[in-house]
Amino acid sequence: MNSLDLVLFVHILGWVFWLGTDLGVLVGAKITEDGKLSVETRLTVLKLAMILDMAPRLMVPLVFMTGLYLSSALWGATPIPLFAGLGFGVVWLGVVLLGIFAPQQSRMSEIAEKLGLVIQAIVVVVMGGVAVNSLLGSATMPAWLAAKWLTYAWIAIFAIGIEVTFKPAIADYAKLQMEGASDALNADLKTHLKPVYLCVYGVYLGTFVAALLGVTKPF
């Protein structure tokens, strides 16, 4: 296995851990809605889901960096300077690590959250813009690869959506821990998690399309 094969392997594995562990987060979140379970059980499942959530958060910048390298090495697509893109990916990874290890509700945690949203917005604008420009005629990369870049921008949009829509649910979980369960709180949690699930499904659709494009290269 040469270095290029290794990068491709890591890229594929990144998608696997991204989607696979995120499915565990989704299932865990749905279990926490169950008012028949004890508060302790629901909060334990939530804690497990948050631990699992570390994997997809780490995989996103890793997939970005390996994908950028492969775009350049295999197909000569360098609409973004490689070293600049890799440097951006390293910063992104550092922000994710800061968000994971900073104490909850601390100043550092808040900074990491805001920086994460800014980074995702940059991904939407830059990767989406480059992809659309290529598809509309500049042809800076193969059409299937431009479409894959566009799906990554799509994923980033819904990732932002997850962060924004999950805030009310976080407040519900805090109430669950402090005040215990009630019919009203259970109803609020179900209501607040619905838009989160829609954003998660949007991410899943993007990952499915991106994987399909990468394997089939249909155009």
Side-chain angles (χ1 to χ4, degrees):
M1 177 181 290
N2 58 35
S3 59
L4 193 58
D5 290 335
L6 180 60
V7 173
L8 179 58
F9 174 73
V10 172
H11 185 69
I12 294 172
L13 204 62
W15 285 103
V16 171
F17 273 92
W18 177 352
L19 184 58
T21 52
D22 203 65
L23 283 171
V25 178
L26 176 65
V27 172
K30 287 186 174 294
I31 291 175
T32 65
E33 293 184 34
D34 190 351
K36 297 178 181 178
L37 298 174
S38 68
V39 171
E40 182 181 5
T41 298
R42 294 166 72 183
L43 292 176
T44 299
V45 172
L46 175 65
K47 183 177 180 180
L48 175 60
M50 293 300 97
I51 293 172
L52 289 175
D53 189 51
M54 294 180 187
R57 288 180 180 273
L58 290 169
M59 292 304 107
V60 173
L62 183 64
V63 166
F64 169 81
M65 288 188 285
T66 53
L68 191 65
Y69 180 85
L70 292 170
S71 296
S72 174
L74 294 179
W75 299 285
T78 55
I80 300 174
L82 182 59
F83 285 106
L86 293 177
F88 176 80
V90 170
V91 171
W92 189 356
L93 185 61
V95 169
V96 172
L97 289 170
L98 178 62
I100 288 174
F101 292 106
Q104 291 185 355
Q105 300 180 338
S106 66
R107 178 60 177 165
M108 294 304 295
S109 178
E110 292 177 1
I111 291 173
E113 181 182 350
K114 291 178 181 178
L115 287 177
L117 291 174
V118 170
I119 288 171
Q120 294 281 10
I122 292 172
V123 169
V124 172
V125 173
V126 175
M127 294 194 73
V130 167
V132 169
N133 186 51
S134 183
L135 290 169
L136 291 180
S138 68
T140 53
M141 63 182 78
W144 69 267
L145 184 57
K148 188 173 181 180
W149 276 44
L150 193 58
T151 62
Y152 203 93
W154 165 283
I155 291 168
I157 290 172
F158 282 96
I160 293 172
I162 291 172
E163 295 294 333
V164 173
T165 59
F166 192 55
K167 286 185 178 296
I170 292 176
D172 291 335
Y173 287 125
K175 286 184 179 179
L176 183 64
Q177 182 175 20
M178 298 297 295
E179 304 172 7
S182 67
D183 291 341
L185 180 57
N186 291 338
D188 285 345
L189 183 60
K190 286 180 179 291
T191 299
H192 292 150
L193 284 175
K194 286 180 180 178
V196 181
Y197 295 149
L198 290 176
C199 290
V200 170
Y201 296 146
V203 170
Y204 290 172
L205 177 61
T207 57
F208 175 81
V209 173
L212 185 65
L213 288 168
V215 172
T216 62
K217 302 177 179 58
F219 43 77

